[in-house]
Amino acid sequence: MATYLDVHPENPQPRTIARVVDLLRGDGLIAYPTDSCFALGCQLGNRDGLDRIREIRQLDSKHHFTLVCRDFAQLGQFVHINNAVFRSLKAATPGSYTFILPATKEVPRRLLHPKKKTVGVRIPDHPVAQALLAALGEPLVSSTLLLPGESEPMTQGWEIKERLDHAIDAVIDSGECGTLPTTVVDFSADEPEIVRYGAGDPTRFE
């Protein structure tokens, strides 16, 4: 059964955040709020967590997982960024964007797109997500909590607890989340390509 944790949306309780981090370090899988919608998340080396996300969402091997990072210093360890791309990303973060970029050797092969060797990265603008990342000290491997056959992510923590009680280890609830996932911009080629329109304003990349 999933542990249900009620967290203050602006001032997350340190004790509760520490409890979630302990769960993550014990190879747990969580549902947590971001500035776009709820996401599933696990620690970088958690192979079982990755498989569980694939199973819950019924994802194929071409799905881009996202490394949710605390800041640019952390993000730069996991993807290659040239100066022009850096400026574009810097202007749009933190925020509701996911960027697809060539991965460094720090990224486990299981997370990479099988042909492109790319991975998604983002820096969220949400106090609870940021508190988790600060306490964990590394990125969260994440995927939007969108169940197979459904057009919108779930917005209520209690509903996630009800639906995924035996599939995940904890639900972190800080109030209702949005229904729009991030805007996804692929920077792996010469020109940026918007591959999903979502919560982030796409016009700066068009």
Side-chain angles (χ1 to χ4, degrees):
M1 284 181 59
T3 303
Y4 182 85
L5 297 166
D6 196 7
V7 181
H8 194 281
E10 292 171 8
N11 299 295
Q13 303 90 321
R15 185 178 294 182
T16 307
I17 295 297
R19 190 174 168 191
V20 177
V21 168
D22 284 345
L23 273 169
L24 289 165
R25 288 182 176 148
D27 284 346
L29 175 62
I30 66 168
Y32 71 101
T34 76
D35 49 334
S36 55
C37 51
F38 274 101
L40 294 166
C42 66
Q43 202 171 14
L44 197 56
N46 185 351
R47 293 169 68 95
D48 177 60
L50 205 60
D51 289 340
R52 289 161 72 189
I53 292 174
R54 286 190 194 278
E55 190 175 336
I56 289 167
R57 292 207 53 204
Q58 295 180 15
L59 301 171
D60 63 26
S61 63
K62 294 177 183 174
H63 177 76
H64 269 108
F65 282 94
T66 299
L67 296 179
V68 178
C69 300
R70 183 185 181 190
D71 52 27
F72 261 95
Q74 194 175 74
L75 185 145
Q77 298 174 42
F78 297 95
V79 288
H80 296 288
I81 310 175
N82 63 34
N83 288 337
V85 172
F86 176 84
R87 286 193 293 272
S88 293
L89 267 61
K90 189 75 173 172
T93 54
S96 302
Y97 298 93
T98 298
F99 304 104
I100 296 170
L101 288 157
T104 68
K105 291 181 179 178
E106 299 295 317
V107 181
R109 288 186 68 152
R110 287 164 58 86
L111 289 176
L112 300 178
H113 186 283
K115 290 184 179 177
K116 297 180 178 179
K117 307 303 181 203
T118 48
V119 70
V121 287
R122 69 170 298 218
I123 301 171
D125 187 16
H126 193 288
V128 175
Q130 280 288 344
L132 281 173
L133 294 166
L136 185 62
E138 63 179 81
L140 272 171
V141 178
S142 288
S143 185
T144 303
L145 209 176
L146 180 62
L147 297 184
E150 301 199 357
S151 58
E152 288 189 346
M154 286 180 282
T155 62
Q156 305 278 356
W158 62 266
E159 184 188 7
I160 295 168
K161 159 81 171 159
E162 205 170 73
R163 296 275 298 276
L164 297 177
D165 203 21
H166 297 286
I168 62 177
D169 299 298
V171 178
I172 293 82
D173 190 359
S174 63
E176 188 166 328
C177 258
T179 57
L180 279 178
T182 55
T183 293
V184 179
V185 188
D186 189 341
F187 275 99
S188 62
D190 293 336
E191 293 291 328
E193 179 190 357
I194 299 170
V195 294
R196 181 177 73 192
Y197 288 84
D201 179 8
T203 55
R204 66 174 73 224
F205 300 109
E206 290 176 329

